[in-house]
Amino acid sequence: NEAFLRFTLPTDYVAQIGDLTYTGGTVEHRFLVRSGKQVLPIFVKNGKGDLTAFTLVIQRALSYDEIYTDFYRPQYHFSVKKDHMNDPNGLVYNATTGEYHLFYQYSPDRMMMGGQVWGHAVSKDLVCWTELGIAIDREPDGGKIYSGSAVIDYHNTTGFFTEDIPPASRMVIMYTVPGSVEKLCLAYSLDDGYTWIKYTGNPVLSSYKAGNTFRDPKVLWIEDPEQPNGGLWMVVVGGTEIRLYTSSDLVHWRYNSTIKDLEGKNVSSECPELYRLSVDGNENKVKWVYSGAGLFYIVGDLIKD
């Protein structure tokens, strides 16, 4: 679409807009408005040669049909319709519906990070995604929602679910609420992951020390036939220290240990990951790998106490 910018210059002034030069009097500069954000620099000189610069920012909203075909938008990876997205969180699969649920740090109404909530998208093939909006909104006091992870509570260890909800649809999220004392909270879904309810007993874990980061929980299920439900939940919490906790129900947690390096020093990182690997394909020879924000890894053993 074509638009125009109209203004009046004093007789001894000159304006430069793109490749065009305008002298004193009424100026009408015509230009094409593209989809999305567009910057138009304007330079004005007076009779003495003094230069003043202006920047005109034009934002043309995309129509629904244009949103995902915009020239600069990735066509293979997921991206949001508008605003700022960041860390992917809690990718989880609902075998009842055959859908993958993707969550991510999302800053609505902002071009840069700030005021984060959890955005939400769903897919059946990990390629074509449907954006569903906000899954976990800010806290009642306006607090942000930071990273975390999602699990399927097959055994209903939390007690959040009724028997009519299939085991593969019993989806639970653990997320971070930042602050001087950072907290870990739960949310769960009763409709196959499409809407989320914050647990009324939040937080379920809080930082061991004010001022220390305590965030980005990675929750996993550890098989253990000696336990009533056949296993235990473990959460690896990132931040100033990498701390491990266990729980039988995702609600009540017990501190187990802090990951240390070979020199016995506490390891620090955000976005923790802990996973089991068989050595040379031998299931009887297993190691556990801790990955710190994808920047380094530590190989060790997970010892039952």
Side-chain angles (χ1 to χ4, degrees):
N1 293 339
E2 190 178 61
F4 66 87
L5 174 66
R6 180 184 291 146
F7 58 93
T8 301
L9 277 174
T11 55
D12 60 342
Y13 277 60
V14 175
Q16 184 78 32
I17 308 177
D19 297 330
L20 299 177
T21 301
Y22 300 94
T23 56
T26 300
V27 174
E28 188 174 283
H29 177 76
R30 293 186 175 272
F31 58 96
L32 293 176
V33 180
R34 300 189 304 269
S35 298
K37 184 179 180 180
Q38 186 175 347
V39 177
L40 189 67
I42 304 169
F43 302 94
V44 178
K45 285 184 179 181
N46 61 20
K48 299 178 182 180
D50 299 325
L51 178 66
T52 303
F54 302 90
T55 301
L56 179 65
V57 178
I58 306 102
Q59 184 81 39
R60 179 189 164 199
L62 302 176
S63 70
Y64 185 80
D65 292 334
E66 292 175 308
I67 285 174
Y68 287 112
T69 57
D70 181 68
F71 179 77
Y72 294 104
R73 180 180 290 273
Q75 295 299 305
Y76 185 75
H77 298 92
F78 173 76
S79 60
V80 291
K81 293 178 183 177
K82 66 183 185 71
D83 305 318
H84 178 268
M85 69 176 295
N86 204 30
D87 305 17
N89 298 151
L91 183 66
V92 66
Y93 180 67
N94 183 343
T96 304
T97 61
E99 293 174 319
Y100 295 92
H101 289 259
L102 168 68
F103 305 93
Y104 48 89
Q105 293 285 279
Y106 179 50
S107 300
D109 305 318
R110 290 174 181 259
M111 297 300 291
M112 294 298 290
M113 185 169 62
Q116 292 96 311
V117 299
W118 273 35
H120 188 191
V122 65
S123 171
K124 290 206 170 189
D125 59 8
L126 293 175
V127 176
C128 300
W129 294 90
T130 300
E131 190 175 342
L132 298 179
I134 296 174
I136 304 178
D137 211 339
R138 297 185 185 99
E139 294 294 277
D141 62 359
K144 301 175 185 179
I145 307 297
Y146 278 6
S147 297
S149 56
V151 293
I152 305 294
D153 185 12
Y154 288 100
H155 303 290
N156 194 19
T157 62
T158 57
F160 294 160
F161 308 100
T162 56
E163 289 301 317
D164 60 324
I165 296 178
S169 295
R170 297 170 181 173
M171 306 168 73
V172 181
I173 282 171
M174 179 179 278
Y175 60 91
T176 308
V177 176
S180 59
V181 176
E182 299 201 319
K183 303 170 183 178
L184 305 183
C185 300
L186 299 179
Y188 58 97
S189 176
L190 302 179
D191 61 356
D192 291 317
Y194 276 76
T195 60
W196 292 84
I197 303 165
K198 292 181 180 181
Y199 172 51
T200 56
N202 283 334
V204 295
L205 261 177
S206 296
S207 177
Y208 52 96
K209 183 179 179 181
N212 280 11
T213 52
F214 187 80
R215 56 180 61 171
D216 312 335
K218 167 63 181 183
V219 185
L220 57 158
W221 177 255
I222 306 295
E223 297 284 345
D224 184 351
E226 296 181 8
Q227 299 298 324
N229 289 313
L232 278 175
W233 296 105
M234 173 174 284
V235 63
V236 187
V237 185
T240 307
E241 297 178 7
I242 309 304
R243 295 168 70 91
L244 276 63
Y245 298 80
T246 52
S247 171
S248 60
D249 59 6
L250 287 173
V251 174
H252 303 93
W253 293 91
R254 179 173 71 95
Y255 169 73
N256 288 95
S257 62
T258 298
I259 295 181
K260 301 179 183 296
D261 62 19
L262 292 176
E263 297 178 352
K265 297 178 181 178
N266 291 334
V267 175
S268 175
S269 83
E270 297 186 340
C271 304
E273 178 65 272
L274 185 68
Y275 51 92
R276 178 182 185 273
L277 284 180
S278 57
V279 180
D280 298 326
N282 183 354
E283 282 296 324
N284 295 317
K285 190 177 181 181
V286 170
K287 288 291 183 180
W288 286 80
V289 181
Y290 171 81
S291 171
L295 301 176
F296 67 93
Y297 67 89
I298 298 172
V299 180
D301 297 302
L302 193 62
I303 301 170
K304 183 177 178 181
D305 60 10

